[in-house]
Amino acid sequence: MLWVLLWVATPAFGSDLKADFNGDGVVDLNDFFLFAEHYGQSAGQPGFDAKFDIIGDSKIDQADFFIFAERFGGNG
């Protein structure tokens, strides 16, 4: 589990990963609620939406949540 935390914390992802899912210019609770609706889904499942797969690994999971949490309160 520790390696996941270190992997997600690295700056290798860049700033192009977006967490402002509703496009209002801020990452806030509205975005969190949208993210939570899709948490745990994988590509191919009904309702899967790739925009919530922040790191692009075909699943919406803890790694995506860590990036979302890092951007919470910001503008993207």
Side-chain angles (χ1 to χ4, degrees):
M1 178 77 121
L2 180 57
W3 69 271
V4 172
L5 295 175
L6 295 174
W7 176 68
V8 172
T10 62
F13 295 116
S15 61
D16 60 328
L17 302 175
K18 301 298 180 194
D20 177 20
F21 302 122
N22 65 359
D24 67 355
V26 66
V27 181
D28 58 12
L29 281 177
N30 294 320
D31 300 297
F32 172 75
F33 293 135
L34 292 171
F35 180 79
E37 287 179 30
H38 296 274
Y39 187 85
Q41 295 178 338
S42 297
Q45 288 183 306
F48 177 80
D49 187 336
K51 78 176 176 182
F52 298 102
D53 176 18
I54 299 172
I55 64 171
D57 63 352
S58 300
K59 56 189 176 189
I60 303 164
D61 60 8
Q62 204 170 25
D64 300 296
F65 176 75
F66 289 140
I67 299 297
F68 175 82
E70 181 181 276
R71 288 166 170 63
F72 192 85
N75 61 0

